[in-house]
Amino acid sequence: MCGRFSLLQTPEEVEAFFALEGLEAFPPRYNIAPTQPILVISSAPPREPGSNRPDREAHLVRWGLLPSWVKDPKEFPLLINARGETAATKASFRAPMRHKRALIPASGFYEWKRDKASGQSQAYWVRPANGGICAFAGLMESWMAAEGSELDSAAIITAASTPDISFVHDRMPVVIQPEDFSRWLDCRTQEPRDVADLLKGAPEGYFEMIPVSDKVNKVANTTPDVQDRVEPKPFVSGKDDKPSPPDDQMSLL
């Protein structure tokens, strides 16, 4: 599960990495949490002949996907993650997997190793080992209320963790590599089955894990020190530990 992440790069760096244009200014975000607005990237509408407009566009949407067919959002769980293994067939994700695949810019994510015996948890800042930006696989959806108001939302797709991550948690975000951006975003000619091979964990060694303090546990803590390295808690004994059980999805209530 991915329940928190971060985006530290400048708008100019995000523009260059994703081949965008005209991205509005935004500050570094150290502790992005569910229900908050997140930046997502999708394919742009078809270009007119001779246009040099980018074929991708950015959106601000709520993190927590709400399917278009939901009648009452208060009675529906907050879907912050979608399992890659079932996204193409599960009712909540089937339509966006076919029509609204997206990329979610990130500098890394947070995960918690939990100890059942003590009830403690150790937070980790999981970032690309090269310190660069990455693109999580995402799904977008638009929901319209009876009175006409519209809500755009998104979820991050996850896959089974690679061995170097699984000692903390058994799930991790799917990372789409730059050479696969166009294929993943192409919902006109690429069916879900055509991009199923992309729904896997990043290569082993792609991420590095940094133990951080409990400051990140609180949504209100949004300053750079949430990513400061700390000594891991005593219960963290090493990579021979079993992975944590999968978490349930979060609720709106």
Side-chain angles (χ1 to χ4, degrees):
M1 182 175 180
C2 176
R4 299 280 179 85
F5 70 102
S6 185
L7 178 58
L8 310 179
Q9 278 76 14
T10 66
E12 292 77 17
E13 290 171 320
V14 174
E15 276 189 348
F17 190 75
F18 291 97
L20 298 169
E21 188 177 274
L23 197 59
E24 294 185 7
F26 56 82
R29 298 180 67 191
Y30 291 88
N31 194 7
I32 302 171
T35 74
Q36 293 180 352
I38 60 172
L39 184 68
V40 300
I41 296 159
S42 67
S43 288
R47 292 179 290 188
E48 296 178 359
S51 172
N52 60 359
R53 176 177 55 82
D55 59 2
R56 297 170 192 157
E57 57 185 15
H59 315 263
L60 273 180
V61 307
R62 186 193 73 166
W63 184 16
L65 189 140
L66 187 62
S68 60
W69 43 261
V70 170
K71 296 188 182 302
D72 186 355
K74 293 182 179 179
E75 297 182 358
F76 195 80
L78 188 65
L79 303 178
I80 63 172
N81 294 152
R83 294 177 69 92
E85 298 89 340
T86 58
T89 57
K90 191 170 182 179
S92 296
F93 306 120
R94 186 167 55 236
M97 185 65 187
R98 175 64 189 88
H99 301 291
K100 293 187 176 182
R101 297 191 296 268
L103 298 169
I104 300 176
S107 301
F109 64 100
Y110 299 97
E111 196 50 84
W112 285 261
K113 180 177 178 61
R114 307 186 191 280
D115 180 53
K116 290 183 178 179
S118 66
Q120 290 184 304
S121 63
Q122 172 62 58
Y124 286 86
W125 163 229
V126 188
R127 68 179 184 184
N130 66 6
I133 192 170
C134 60
F136 294 158
L139 299 174
M140 291 176 56
E141 187 58 290
S142 296
W143 178 85
M144 184 168 290
E147 77 278 5
S149 63
E150 190 170 346
L151 173 66
D152 294 323
S153 61
I156 294 171
I157 301 180
T158 66
S161 291
T162 51
D164 56 339
I165 304 294
S166 64
F167 98 97
V168 172
H169 201 278
D170 65 349
R171 305 292 297 179
M172 65 188 296
V174 169
V175 174
I176 304 296
Q177 300 300 329
E179 60 269 24
D180 296 316
F181 285 177
S182 294
R183 182 158 68 98
W184 172 252
L185 293 177
D186 181 6
C187 296
R188 299 185 185 93
T189 68
Q190 299 292 302
E191 298 280 348
R193 63 176 178 270
D194 299 323
V195 295
D197 61 299
L198 301 178
L199 300 181
K200 58 188 178 183
E204 189 166 1
Y206 179 89
F207 286 114
E208 63 175 343
M209 293 191 297
I210 299 170
V212 296
S213 74
D214 291 341
K215 291 178 183 178
V216 73
N217 297 359
K218 294 185 178 180
V219 176
N221 293 334
T222 59
T223 50
D225 59 342
V226 300
Q227 295 179 350
D228 288 347
R229 184 185 292 271
V230 300
E231 285 298 317
K233 295 177 182 178
F235 76 85
V236 179
S237 59
K239 294 190 176 182
D240 290 333
D241 292 347
K242 295 181 180 179
S244 303
D247 292 319
D248 292 329
Q249 295 280 6
M250 300 182 70
S251 172
L252 281 170
L253 302 179

